[in-house]
Amino acid sequence: MAADVARHAAATADGVSPADASRMGFAFTCLACQVAFKSAEHQRDHYRSDWHRYNLKRKVADLPPVTQENFALRLSEVSSSSSSSSSAKPLPWKVQLATAKTEEEVNAIIDRKVAAAPRLAVSDCLFCDAHLGSLEENMEHMAKTHSFFVPDLEYLVDLEGLVKYLGEKISVGNVCLYCNGKGKSFYTLESVRMHMLEKGHCKIPYEEDDDLDE
């Protein structure tokens, strides 16, 4: 993950705060991390970073975002802590979060959850365990099996980037695509998938959505 932070720092050297974005003419923003970029390419690189995933999880937990420098420091601390910890099986993440007494404890729990979270490839179904041979096959599978579609697909310039972002939102953030963090909280990939299947939430809300507008 340290390598990811370094790569991301190089790719998004133009990231600035939203307060400076309009003055500098930066039109591409990330609301979860409170930064802006001068190009869509740098914005897409940012969406692939662990820093962005971490702030997505903090947003779901109603915590403010951390800066890239602060995130790198947290990663270093978690790595040191993990190397010296015992091999005892940890409590479920939900229990740890419920019993945390300080913001520092919550941050540490989120750090561990992000580090351990599975990652879905663009050929992996967002809603079940199906593994397809390509993004195109996956989109066909999700459409036929789960009635999933991307609104205004004809205007989308980066389908692969969108599917990867949605996969991270589900697998790392454990956020229902349709509820978008506004309903019940989930703590595993399996539980959020089950919710989406049972509730018919295998879809992107067509209304204005903060995360998808980032």
Side-chain angles (χ1 to χ4, degrees):
M1 239 190 265
D4 178 77
V5 172
R7 179 192 64 77
H8 178 62
T12 59
D14 58 323
V16 299
S17 69
D20 295 329
S22 59
R23 177 175 59 82
M24 301 177 68
F26 286 13
F28 303 91
T29 63
C30 171
L31 299 181
C33 299
Q34 293 294 297
V35 291
F37 310 89
K38 65 183 179 182
S39 71
E41 180 182 358
H42 285 180
Q43 183 191 48
R44 287 193 294 270
D45 283 341
H46 169 74
Y47 284 162
R48 299 184 183 101
S49 71
D50 286 316
W51 174 40
H52 176 68
R53 298 183 190 110
Y54 177 67
N55 275 330
L56 276 179
K57 177 59 70 174
R58 287 180 62 85
K59 187 175 182 180
V60 172
D62 292 324
L63 293 172
V66 299
T67 64
Q68 186 176 351
E69 293 75 15
N70 188 282
F71 174 67
L73 179 61
R74 290 169 187 267
L75 280 184
S76 177
E77 292 173 348
V78 169
S79 178
S80 299
S81 174
S82 298
S83 63
S84 60
S85 62
S86 67
S87 59
K89 186 176 180 179
L91 292 171
W93 181 62
K94 182 176 180 179
V95 176
Q96 295 181 50
L97 207 56
T99 56
K101 296 180 176 61
T102 66
E103 182 177 345
E104 287 71 22
E105 291 179 5
V106 171
N107 288 334
I109 294 167
I110 293 175
D111 285 340
R112 293 193 294 271
K113 173 66 168 63
V114 171
R119 302 291 194 267
L120 295 178
V122 295
S123 56
D124 293 334
C125 178
L126 297 172
F127 312 108
C128 70
D129 291 330
H131 303 285
L132 291 306
S134 67
L135 171 62
E136 291 72 21
E137 290 179 15
N138 188 26
M139 293 299 295
E140 182 178 355
H141 160 80
M142 291 191 291
K144 290 183 177 179
T145 306
H146 306 294
S147 301
F148 174 75
F149 72 97
V150 177
D152 297 326
L153 181 60
E154 64 272 21
Y155 300 109
L156 184 64
V157 297
D158 186 9
L159 177 61
E160 180 175 348
L162 174 64
V163 173
K164 186 169 184 177
Y165 168 67
L166 295 178
E168 290 168 354
K169 192 169 185 176
I170 294 171
S171 63
V172 179
N174 303 143
V175 174
C176 167
L177 296 185
Y178 189 74
C179 295
N180 197 33
K182 297 175 182 177
K184 182 179 178 181
S185 296
F186 303 96
Y187 300 91
T188 66
L189 172 60
E190 293 74 17
S191 63
V192 71
R193 274 178 164 174
M194 182 179 298
H195 163 83
M196 290 189 290
L197 290 171
E198 290 179 348
K199 299 296 184 180
H201 285 185
C202 300
K203 55 187 175 182
I204 300 172
Y206 193 72
E207 296 79 17
E208 198 171 62
D209 182 296
D210 283 347
D211 278 348
L212 294 179
D213 284 346
E214 285 176 349

